[in-house]
Amino acid sequence: ARVTADGSGGSTLPTISGSIDGKPYIFCETAMGVWGGARDHDGQEGVPHIGANQSNIPVEMIEAAYPIRIEHYGYVRDSGGAGRQRGGLAIRRDYRTLSDAAWLNVRSDKRAFPPHGLFGGEDGAPSMNRVLRQGRPDRVLPVLLSEPVRMRQGDIFSHTMASGGGYGDPWQRDPRSVLEDVTQDRVSLEAARERYGVAIVRAGHEYEIDEVSTRKLRARTTADERKKQMATLQQGNE
C-alpha cells in the first residue's frame, strides 16, 4: 500500500539548436516530472525523479541566454488521474524559435501506455509533442525522434508531459479536496461531478459544495455508470 501510482516516466529532454547572428547555440534541458497519487497525498508536479539532481530551468534564464521564447508554461486542468488521492497534473511548456532556422530533437515518454492508476484510481493523461506553425495544421511528433526536425523562425514546439495516475477510488475523495482543486483551477466543475461525484456550485465569486446533490450523486451512481461518464468526458477533451 506504500507504493505510488505511476508517474510521467522520467524527464523530457528537448534540444533546440541553430545559429543567431552567425553564432551557433545549443539549448537542452531536462523538463521534470510528475508523480502519481500516493496513500497519504496527491501526486506532485514539477519535481525530479528521486534519484535525480535536476530541476526545470526558469523561463527567464532560457529567454536571456537563447533565441527562444517560452509562450506557455503551466499545468493542464483535468489531466491528473482521478483517485482518492489525485495524480499530479500534466505540465505543458511551449518553446518558440526566434532564430531564422533551428533543429529540434526530443526524448519523452508515456503516450501509448499512459501512467496507470492504483487501487481503483484512474490512469493519468498521455504525453504529447507538437510543432505549431502559423497557417498550417499542427504536426504531431513521436515520443522519441529518430532524427532532428527542422524548425523555422516563429515555430513553436509544444510539449505536454504525461500526468500522474490516481490512487484509490475517486468516489472516496474528500469533497473538500475536490473543492480546493476546483478553486485552484486544477479540476473543472464538470470533472468534479463526473469523476469524483462532487457537485460544486458558484456562490458569487466563490465556489461551494452542494452537499445534498453530492450525497445523492455518490449514492446512486454505480461503478459501470462512472466508467461510461469518464469515457464521455475523455472524448469531449480530445
Side-chain angles (χ1 to χ4, degrees):
R2 295 183 179 180
V3 68
T4 66
D6 196 14
S8 60
S11 59
T12 295
L13 281 78
T15 301
I16 300 174
S17 61
S19 62
I20 186 77
D21 296 330
K23 297 179 180 180
Y25 71 90
I26 300 177
F27 164 76
C28 181
E29 73 164 327
T30 52
M32 311 300 291
V34 181
W35 287 48
R39 181 183 64 179
D40 299 319
H41 59 79
D42 291 341
Q44 299 144 314
E45 302 105 352
V47 293
H49 185 275
I50 193 170
N53 184 24
Q54 302 165 316
S55 62
N56 294 358
I57 300 176
V59 170
E60 295 82 1
M61 291 182 64
I62 296 174
E63 295 183 342
Y66 301 95
I68 296 171
R69 185 165 64 230
I70 305 300
E71 295 286 357
H72 180 95
Y73 182 38
Y75 300 135
V76 179
R77 184 176 61 177
D78 290 341
S79 58
R84 179 169 55 82
Q85 305 292 351
R86 174 183 46 72
L89 270 63
I91 297 173
R92 177 182 163 189
R93 185 120 133 162
D94 289 1
Y95 310 77
R96 184 185 293 274
T97 303
L98 302 181
S99 57
D100 291 338
W103 293 98
L104 166 71
N105 210 334
V106 63
R107 178 270 177 204
S108 57
D109 204 352
K110 299 284 184 176
R111 185 183 304 174
F113 301 98
H116 61 76
L118 274 185
F119 307 118
E122 296 175 359
D123 291 347
S127 67
M128 179 53 63
N129 296 316
R130 296 179 298 156
V131 171
L132 315 180
R133 177 175 295 172
Q134 187 174 7
R136 292 193 177 185
D138 297 352
R139 180 181 177 184
V140 176
L141 304 179
V143 293
L144 179 63
L145 296 181
S146 58
E147 59 182 23
V149 169
R150 186 77 165 175
M151 296 181 69
R152 299 177 181 176
Q153 186 179 55
D155 286 357
I156 294 175
F157 168 59
S158 177
H159 171 70
T160 301
M161 183 172 287
S163 69
Y167 184 105
D169 185 354
W171 244 237
Q172 295 178 2
R173 185 166 176 79
D174 188 337
R176 292 171 297 181
S177 296
V178 179
L179 175 62
E180 182 178 359
D181 281 343
V182 169
T183 300
Q184 295 179 352
D185 200 32
R186 292 171 173 266
V187 172
S188 66
L189 289 173
E190 181 184 16
R193 184 180 186 90
E194 301 296 338
R195 300 173 71 180
Y196 294 98
V198 178
I200 296 177
V201 295
R202 182 183 286 275
H205 296 291
E206 305 292 334
Y207 292 102
E208 63 182 28
I209 300 169
D210 184 335
E211 302 283 358
V212 174
S213 296
T214 296
R215 285 196 298 270
K216 290 180 178 178
L217 185 62
R218 285 191 162 183
R220 73 168 182 257
T221 308
T222 66
D224 287 341
E225 289 172 335
R226 283 153 52 189
K227 289 180 181 179
K228 292 180 182 178
Q229 290 172 344
M230 181 57 195
T232 300
L233 184 65
Q234 289 177 332
Q235 290 175 358
N237 289 335
E238 291 178 351

Short mmCIF file of all heavy atoms in Angstrom, two decimals, residues 161-200:
data_model
loop_
_atom_site.label_atom_id
_atom_site.label_comp_id
_atom_site.label_asym_id
_atom_site.label_seq_id
_atom_site.Cartn_x
_atom_site.Cartn_y
_atom_site.Cartn_z
N MET A 161 3.71 17.02 -20.85
CA MET A 161 4.20 15.85 -20.13
C MET A 161 3.03 15.01 -19.65
O MET A 161 1.95 15.54 -19.36
CB MET A 161 5.06 16.31 -18.95
CG MET A 161 5.71 15.20 -18.15
SD MET A 161 6.87 15.87 -16.93
CE MET A 161 8.20 16.37 -18.02
N ALA A 162 3.23 13.70 -19.58
CA ALA A 162 2.19 12.83 -19.04
C ALA A 162 1.91 13.20 -17.59
O ALA A 162 2.79 13.67 -16.86
CB ALA A 162 2.62 11.37 -19.14
N SER A 163 0.67 13.00 -17.17
CA SER A 163 0.30 13.30 -15.79
C SER A 163 0.50 12.07 -14.92
O SER A 163 1.04 11.05 -15.36
CB SER A 163 -1.15 13.77 -15.73
OG SER A 163 -2.04 12.69 -16.02
N GLY A 164 0.06 12.15 -13.66
CA GLY A 164 0.18 11.03 -12.75
C GLY A 164 -1.12 10.25 -12.62
O GLY A 164 -2.21 10.80 -12.77
N GLY A 165 -1.01 8.96 -12.36
CA GLY A 165 -2.19 8.14 -12.13
C GLY A 165 -2.79 8.41 -10.76
O GLY A 165 -2.12 8.86 -9.83
N GLY A 166 -4.08 8.13 -10.64
CA GLY A 166 -4.77 8.32 -9.37
C GLY A 166 -4.59 7.12 -8.45
O GLY A 166 -4.29 6.01 -8.88
N TYR A 167 -4.79 7.34 -7.15
CA TYR A 167 -4.63 6.29 -6.13
C TYR A 167 -5.95 6.16 -5.37
O TYR A 167 -6.40 7.11 -4.72
CB TYR A 167 -3.51 6.69 -5.18
CG TYR A 167 -3.15 5.65 -4.12
CD1 TYR A 167 -1.99 4.89 -4.24
CD2 TYR A 167 -3.95 5.45 -3.00
CE1 TYR A 167 -1.65 3.95 -3.27
CE2 TYR A 167 -3.63 4.52 -2.03
CZ TYR A 167 -2.47 3.78 -2.16
OH TYR A 167 -2.14 2.86 -1.21
N GLY A 168 -6.57 4.99 -5.46
CA GLY A 168 -7.79 4.75 -4.73
C GLY A 168 -9.03 5.22 -5.47
O GLY A 168 -8.96 5.91 -6.48
N ASP A 169 -10.18 4.82 -4.96
CA ASP A 169 -11.47 5.13 -5.57
C ASP A 169 -11.74 6.63 -5.55
O ASP A 169 -11.78 7.24 -4.48
CB ASP A 169 -12.57 4.38 -4.80
CG ASP A 169 -13.95 4.53 -5.43
OD1 ASP A 169 -14.09 5.30 -6.40
OD2 ASP A 169 -14.88 3.86 -4.94
N PRO A 170 -11.95 7.25 -6.73
CA PRO A 170 -12.23 8.69 -6.76
C PRO A 170 -13.47 9.07 -5.96
O PRO A 170 -13.57 10.20 -5.46
CB PRO A 170 -12.43 8.99 -8.25
CG PRO A 170 -11.74 7.88 -8.97
CD PRO A 170 -11.89 6.67 -8.09
N TRP A 171 -14.42 8.13 -5.84
CA TRP A 171 -15.66 8.43 -5.11
C TRP A 171 -15.41 8.56 -3.60
O TRP A 171 -16.27 9.01 -2.86
CB TRP A 171 -16.69 7.33 -5.38
CG TRP A 171 -17.92 7.79 -6.09
CD1 TRP A 171 -19.20 7.66 -5.66
CD2 TRP A 171 -18.01 8.44 -7.37
NE1 TRP A 171 -20.07 8.17 -6.58
CE2 TRP A 171 -19.38 8.66 -7.64
CE3 TRP A 171 -17.08 8.84 -8.31
CZ2 TRP A 171 -19.82 9.26 -8.81
CZ3 TRP A 171 -17.51 9.45 -9.47
CH2 TRP A 171 -18.86 9.65 -9.70
N GLN A 172 -14.21 8.17 -3.15
CA GLN A 172 -13.86 8.29 -1.75
C GLN A 172 -13.03 9.54 -1.46
O GLN A 172 -12.64 9.77 -0.32
CB GLN A 172 -13.09 7.05 -1.29
CG GLN A 172 -13.90 5.76 -1.32
CD GLN A 172 -13.09 4.55 -0.90
OE1 GLN A 172 -11.92 4.66 -0.54
NE2 GLN A 172 -13.71 3.39 -0.95
N ARG A 173 -12.77 10.33 -2.46
CA ARG A 173 -12.01 11.55 -2.24
C ARG A 173 -12.83 12.54 -1.42
O ARG A 173 -14.04 12.72 -1.65
CB ARG A 173 -11.61 12.18 -3.57
CG ARG A 173 -10.70 13.43 -3.44
CD ARG A 173 -10.09 13.77 -4.77
NE ARG A 173 -9.29 14.97 -4.78
CZ ARG A 173 -8.04 15.07 -4.33
NH1 ARG A 173 -7.46 14.00 -3.80
NH2 ARG A 173 -7.37 16.20 -4.40
N ASP A 174 -12.19 13.17 -0.47
CA ASP A 174 -12.84 14.17 0.38
C ASP A 174 -13.38 15.29 -0.50
O ASP A 174 -12.62 15.92 -1.26
CB ASP A 174 -11.82 14.73 1.38
CG ASP A 174 -12.44 15.63 2.43
OD1 ASP A 174 -13.54 16.18 2.17
OD2 ASP A 174 -11.84 15.80 3.50
N PRO A 175 -14.69 15.56 -0.45
CA PRO A 175 -15.24 16.64 -1.27
C PRO A 175 -14.55 17.98 -1.06
O PRO A 175 -14.47 18.80 -1.98
CB PRO A 175 -16.71 16.70 -0.82
CG PRO A 175 -17.02 15.30 -0.36
CD PRO A 175 -15.74 14.84 0.28
N ARG A 176 -14.01 18.20 0.13
CA ARG A 176 -13.30 19.46 0.38
C ARG A 176 -12.01 19.54 -0.45
O ARG A 176 -11.62 20.65 -0.87
CB ARG A 176 -12.97 19.60 1.87
CG ARG A 176 -14.21 19.78 2.76
CD ARG A 176 -13.85 19.70 4.22
NE ARG A 176 -13.34 18.37 4.56
CZ ARG A 176 -12.96 18.01 5.79
NH1 ARG A 176 -13.04 18.89 6.79
NH2 ARG A 176 -12.51 16.79 6.02
N SER A 177 -11.39 18.39 -0.70
CA SER A 177 -10.20 18.38 -1.56
C SER A 177 -10.58 18.66 -3.01
O SER A 177 -9.85 19.34 -3.73
CB SER A 177 -9.48 17.03 -1.46
OG SER A 177 -9.00 16.81 -0.15
N VAL A 178 -11.74 18.13 -3.43
CA VAL A 178 -12.22 18.41 -4.78
C VAL A 178 -12.55 19.89 -4.91
O VAL A 178 -12.23 20.53 -5.93
CB VAL A 178 -13.45 17.55 -5.10
CG1 VAL A 178 -13.97 17.86 -6.51
CG2 VAL A 178 -13.12 16.06 -4.99
N LEU A 179 -13.17 20.46 -3.90
CA LEU A 179 -13.49 21.89 -3.91
C LEU A 179 -12.22 22.72 -4.03
O LEU A 179 -12.17 23.69 -4.80
CB LEU A 179 -14.24 22.27 -2.64
CG LEU A 179 -14.54 23.76 -2.44
CD1 LEU A 179 -15.43 24.29 -3.55
CD2 LEU A 179 -15.17 24.00 -1.07
N GLU A 180 -11.19 22.33 -3.30
CA GLU A 180 -9.92 23.06 -3.38
C GLU A 180 -9.33 22.97 -4.79
O GLU A 180 -8.82 23.96 -5.32
CB GLU A 180 -8.93 22.50 -2.36
CG GLU A 180 -7.60 23.23 -2.33
CD GLU A 180 -6.66 22.70 -1.27
OE1 GLU A 180 -7.05 21.78 -0.54
OE2 GLU A 180 -5.51 23.20 -1.19
N ASP A 181 -9.42 21.78 -5.41
CA ASP A 181 -8.92 21.63 -6.77
C ASP A 181 -9.67 22.52 -7.75
O ASP A 181 -9.08 23.11 -8.66
CB ASP A 181 -9.04 20.17 -7.22
CG ASP A 181 -7.92 19.29 -6.66
OD1 ASP A 181 -6.90 19.84 -6.22
OD2 ASP A 181 -8.09 18.06 -6.68
N VAL A 182 -10.99 22.61 -7.60
CA VAL A 182 -11.79 23.46 -8.47
C VAL A 182 -11.42 24.92 -8.26
O VAL A 182 -11.25 25.69 -9.21
CB VAL A 182 -13.29 23.23 -8.22
CG1 VAL A 182 -14.14 24.29 -8.93
CG2 VAL A 182 -13.71 21.83 -8.69
N THR A 183 -11.27 25.32 -7.01
CA THR A 183 -10.93 26.71 -6.69
C THR A 183 -9.58 27.09 -7.30
O THR A 183 -9.39 28.22 -7.77
CB THR A 183 -10.89 26.90 -5.16
OG1 THR A 183 -12.16 26.59 -4.61
CG2 THR A 183 -10.54 28.35 -4.80
N GLN A 184 -8.65 26.13 -7.33
CA GLN A 184 -7.31 26.39 -7.88
C GLN A 184 -7.23 26.12 -9.38
O GLN A 184 -6.14 26.15 -9.95
CB GLN A 184 -6.28 25.53 -7.14
CG GLN A 184 -6.14 25.89 -5.67
CD GLN A 184 -5.13 25.02 -4.95
OE1 GLN A 184 -4.62 24.03 -5.50
NE2 GLN A 184 -4.83 25.37 -3.72
N ASP A 185 -8.36 25.82 -10.02
CA ASP A 185 -8.45 25.56 -11.46
C ASP A 185 -7.65 24.33 -11.87
O ASP A 185 -7.19 24.21 -13.00
CB ASP A 185 -7.98 26.78 -12.26
CG ASP A 185 -8.51 26.76 -13.70
OD1 ASP A 185 -9.62 26.23 -13.90
OD2 ASP A 185 -7.82 27.26 -14.60
N ARG A 186 -7.52 23.37 -10.97
CA ARG A 186 -6.89 22.09 -11.29
C ARG A 186 -7.92 21.10 -11.82
O ARG A 186 -7.57 20.19 -12.58
CB ARG A 186 -6.21 21.51 -10.06
CG ARG A 186 -4.99 22.30 -9.60
CD ARG A 186 -4.48 21.81 -8.25
NE ARG A 186 -3.23 22.46 -7.91
CZ ARG A 186 -2.02 21.96 -8.15
NH1 ARG A 186 -1.92 20.78 -8.75
NH2 ARG A 186 -0.94 22.61 -7.81
N VAL A 187 -9.16 21.25 -11.42
CA VAL A 187 -10.25 20.37 -11.82
C VAL A 187 -11.44 21.23 -12.20
O VAL A 187 -11.76 22.20 -11.50
CB VAL A 187 -10.63 19.40 -10.67
CG1 VAL A 187 -11.90 18.61 -11.01
CG2 VAL A 187 -9.48 18.44 -10.38
N SER A 188 -12.10 20.91 -13.31
CA SER A 188 -13.26 21.67 -13.76
C SER A 188 -14.51 21.25 -12.99
O SER A 188 -14.55 20.19 -12.34
CB SER A 188 -13.49 21.45 -15.26
OG SER A 188 -13.85 20.09 -15.51
N LEU A 189 -15.55 22.06 -13.06
CA LEU A 189 -16.82 21.72 -12.42
C LEU A 189 -17.38 20.42 -12.98
O LEU A 189 -17.91 19.58 -12.24
CB LEU A 189 -17.83 22.86 -12.62
CG LEU A 189 -17.57 24.15 -11.84
CD1 LEU A 189 -18.55 25.24 -12.29
CD2 LEU A 189 -17.70 23.91 -10.35
N GLU A 190 -17.25 20.24 -14.30
CA GLU A 190 -17.75 19.03 -14.93
C GLU A 190 -17.01 17.80 -14.43
O GLU A 190 -17.61 16.78 -14.10
CB GLU A 190 -17.63 19.14 -16.45
CG GLU A 190 -18.15 17.92 -17.20
CD GLU A 190 -17.93 18.02 -18.69
OE1 GLU A 190 -17.13 18.88 -19.12
OE2 GLU A 190 -18.56 17.24 -19.43
N ALA A 191 -15.67 17.90 -14.37
CA ALA A 191 -14.88 16.76 -13.92
C ALA A 191 -15.13 16.46 -12.45
O ALA A 191 -15.13 15.30 -12.03
CB ALA A 191 -13.40 17.02 -14.16
N ALA A 192 -15.35 17.49 -11.64
CA ALA A 192 -15.66 17.27 -10.22
C ALA A 192 -16.90 16.41 -10.07
O ALA A 192 -16.96 15.50 -9.23
CB ALA A 192 -15.84 18.60 -9.51
N ARG A 193 -17.87 16.66 -10.92
CA ARG A 193 -19.13 15.91 -10.85
C ARG A 193 -18.99 14.52 -11.46
O ARG A 193 -19.42 13.52 -10.87
CB ARG A 193 -20.22 16.70 -11.57
CG ARG A 193 -21.61 16.06 -11.50
CD ARG A 193 -22.64 16.90 -12.23
NE ARG A 193 -23.98 16.37 -12.05
CZ ARG A 193 -24.79 16.71 -11.07
NH1 ARG A 193 -24.40 17.61 -10.17
NH2 ARG A 193 -25.99 16.18 -10.96
N GLU A 194 -18.39 14.44 -12.66
CA GLU A 194 -18.35 13.18 -13.40
C GLU A 194 -17.30 12.22 -12.87
O GLU A 194 -17.51 11.00 -12.89
CB GLU A 194 -18.10 13.46 -14.89
CG GLU A 194 -19.15 14.34 -15.56
CD GLU A 194 -20.51 13.70 -15.60
OE1 GLU A 194 -20.59 12.46 -15.51
OE2 GLU A 194 -21.51 14.43 -15.72
N ARG A 195 -16.18 12.74 -12.40
CA ARG A 195 -15.08 11.87 -12.00
C ARG A 195 -15.00 11.64 -10.49
O ARG A 195 -14.41 10.65 -10.05
CB ARG A 195 -13.75 12.45 -12.50
CG ARG A 195 -13.70 12.60 -14.01
CD ARG A 195 -12.48 13.33 -14.49
NE ARG A 195 -11.26 12.54 -14.34
CZ ARG A 195 -10.05 12.98 -14.71
NH1 ARG A 195 -9.93 14.19 -15.23
NH2 ARG A 195 -8.99 12.21 -14.55
N TYR A 196 -15.58 12.56 -9.72
CA TYR A 196 -15.49 12.44 -8.27
C TYR A 196 -16.85 12.39 -7.57
O TYR A 196 -16.92 12.16 -6.37
CB TYR A 196 -14.69 13.62 -7.69
CG TYR A 196 -13.24 13.62 -8.09
CD1 TYR A 196 -12.79 14.40 -9.14
CD2 TYR A 196 -12.32 12.82 -7.42
CE1 TYR A 196 -11.45 14.40 -9.52
CE2 TYR A 196 -10.98 12.82 -7.78
CZ TYR A 196 -10.55 13.60 -8.83
OH TYR A 196 -9.23 13.60 -9.19
N GLY A 197 -17.92 12.63 -8.33
CA GLY A 197 -19.23 12.61 -7.72
C GLY A 197 -19.46 13.73 -6.74
O GLY A 197 -20.18 13.58 -5.75
N VAL A 198 -18.85 14.88 -6.99
CA VAL A 198 -18.98 16.04 -6.11
C VAL A 198 -19.62 17.18 -6.89
O VAL A 198 -19.07 17.63 -7.91
CB VAL A 198 -17.62 16.48 -5.54
CG1 VAL A 198 -17.77 17.71 -4.65
CG2 VAL A 198 -16.97 15.34 -4.75
N ALA A 199 -20.78 17.63 -6.42
CA ALA A 199 -21.49 18.74 -7.06
C ALA A 199 -21.00 20.05 -6.43
O ALA A 199 -21.15 20.25 -5.22
CB ALA A 199 -22.99 18.58 -6.89
N ILE A 200 -20.43 20.90 -7.24
CA ILE A 200 -19.91 22.18 -6.78
C ILE A 200 -20.59 23.29 -7.57
O ILE A 200 -20.73 23.20 -8.79
CB ILE A 200 -18.38 22.25 -6.95
CG1 ILE A 200 -17.72 21.19 -6.04
CG2 ILE A 200 -17.85 23.64 -6.62
CD1 ILE A 200 -16.22 21.12 -6.20
#
